[in-house]
Amino acid sequence: MDWVERTAQLRQWTRSGARAPHKPLLFLYALSRFQQAADDELRYSAVEEDLRGLLVAYGPANRTTPAYPFHHLVSDGVWEVRTERGPGSPGTGVGELRSSGAAGRLAPELRAALRREPSLLGRMARVLLDLNFPPSLHGELCEAVGLELEEAGTGLIPAARRQRDRRMRELVLTAYEYRCAFCGYDGRIGAMPVGLEAAHVRWWAFDGPDDIENGLCLCSLHHKLFDKGVLGLGEGHRILVSQSFVGHSAAARDHVITLAGRPLIGPQPGARPIAAAHRSWHTSQVFHGSPRPAATA
């Protein structure tokens, strides 16, 4: 049984590129808990708030209860659930999961495999991260679930995946003339740009292409905020700022809130702008809540 392949093939709800990270988030959380205490069960009532917090932070705006992955991950053969009555999940009802004392943990065969081959945990975690989240969120997400991946690089990940186009960064930064499309930052050390990154609008993990119509040149701060759904792109290629974002400092106001309604900086004439389909995907799948009104001068 190839556990890495099975991890790559988790059955997830899909429709028109919609994100459904519920199972991957639970699986990452369970791998972390195994790393800390291999034989501990995760009682639903004890971990419900942790899982809900992960869905709020890393899931799309149309959130669902963590009861959904807690029950359905069983069908992928990597997770088991039992109640006070014995083996088996009582279903996706929150009340029943709580009242029955439902508890889950990694499947016995997977726990045995992880004990035999400790580096397997890191390879599985890398697949979950690569296939469901952009690289800008990987470190933060590992910290959020308490996962240590120091030894994750040992061994190869055989999951079949598209190869990234290494030229994308240079093409996107050139199209935007080495300036952040949101704030205009253009720092360099000598001739080398520093703190500028090529951001996918539609995430690569969700079939976002490596091309200029799906790329933005962003500074490190605005790349992270864009991938977290604080910032987005609206009609007329104007910047959206989520009403969910709260910041009282002058820095938060100057670097985030005042961006609301501003036009993108770039791309240069002749370069293709962000495709409407990719912009729409980001708005529906990543951007949080409603946008703030355009900032006044």
Side-chain angles (χ1 to χ4, degrees):
M1 182 181 300
D2 191 326
W3 290 106
V4 176
E5 283 294 331
R6 180 167 289 193
T7 300
Q9 296 170 11
L10 291 183
R11 290 188 289 273
Q12 295 171 257
W13 181 87
T14 57
R15 186 181 68 188
S16 303
R19 290 203 301 133
H22 311 74
K23 285 183 178 180
L25 286 170
L26 172 58
F27 202 177
L28 283 168
Y29 185 84
L31 288 171
S32 170
R33 295 294 291 265
F34 177 87
Q35 193 176 56
Q36 298 165 29
D39 291 316
D40 281 3
E41 290 187 327
L42 307 182
R43 194 176 180 93
Y44 180 79
S45 58
V47 301
E48 181 179 8
E49 286 308 307
D50 283 352
L51 297 176
R52 191 186 310 280
L54 290 171
L55 284 171
V56 169
Y58 299 101
N62 54 328
R63 304 178 192 106
T64 59
T65 167
Y68 168 84
F70 202 91
H71 167 75
H72 286 292
L73 189 59
V74 173
S75 66
D76 292 283
V78 298
W79 176 251
E80 65 175 4
V81 175
R82 60 185 297 117
T83 68
E84 293 168 351
R85 298 187 294 271
S89 170
T92 58
V94 173
E96 182 64 15
L97 284 166
R98 293 170 180 165
S99 64
S100 66
R105 61 178 174 175
L106 299 177
E109 298 88 350
L110 177 53
R111 298 200 308 272
L114 290 169
R115 289 190 182 94
R116 288 193 305 270
E117 187 182 359
S119 66
L120 174 62
L121 188 149
R123 300 200 303 276
M124 293 172 68
R126 290 291 185 197
V127 167
L128 290 168
L129 292 167
D130 286 346
L131 295 184
N132 295 280
F133 305 97
S136 66
L137 300 183
H138 289 184
E140 174 187 319
L141 184 47
C142 286
E143 185 175 345
V145 300
L147 192 60
E148 297 289 341
L149 288 184
E150 287 88 348
E151 300 179 3
T154 58
L156 299 176
I157 298 174
R161 300 198 295 277
R162 295 180 297 136
Q163 294 296 310
R164 293 178 182 268
D165 188 338
R166 296 178 182 274
R167 301 170 300 169
M168 181 184 174
R169 181 178 184 275
E170 186 63 27
L171 291 171
V172 170
L173 267 61
T174 298
Y176 286 85
E177 300 181 288
Y178 295 86
R179 292 181 300 174
C180 175
F182 287 173
C183 69
Y185 169 81
D186 61 354
R188 294 173 180 262
I189 295 178
M192 182 67 65
V194 60
L196 287 173
E197 302 167 356
H200 285 76
V201 178
R202 183 185 181 114
W203 292 355
W204 187 86
F206 288 84
D207 299 321
D210 286 331
D211 60 36
I212 292 173
E213 291 181 312
N214 189 44
L216 284 172
C217 176
L218 296 177
C219 67
S220 300
L221 170 65
H222 290 135
H223 188 178
K224 174 61 73 68
L225 296 179
F226 188 64
D227 282 347
K228 288 284 284 186
V230 172
L231 300 174
L233 292 176
E235 297 293 335
H237 293 86
R238 291 185 175 272
I239 302 169
L240 304 178
V241 178
S242 173
Q243 288 185 348
S244 301
F245 175 80
V246 177
H248 301 291
S249 66
R253 182 181 65 251
D254 294 343
H255 297 306
V256 182
I257 295 171
T258 59
L259 295 177
R262 285 190 193 175
L264 283 183
I265 301 170
Q268 62 176 283
R272 298 186 303 276
I274 301 300
H278 302 325
R279 177 168 51 80
S280 177
W281 182 90
H282 186 276
T283 300
S284 66
Q285 298 300 313
V286 181
F287 187 73
H288 275 270
S290 301
R292 288 172 174 263
T296 56

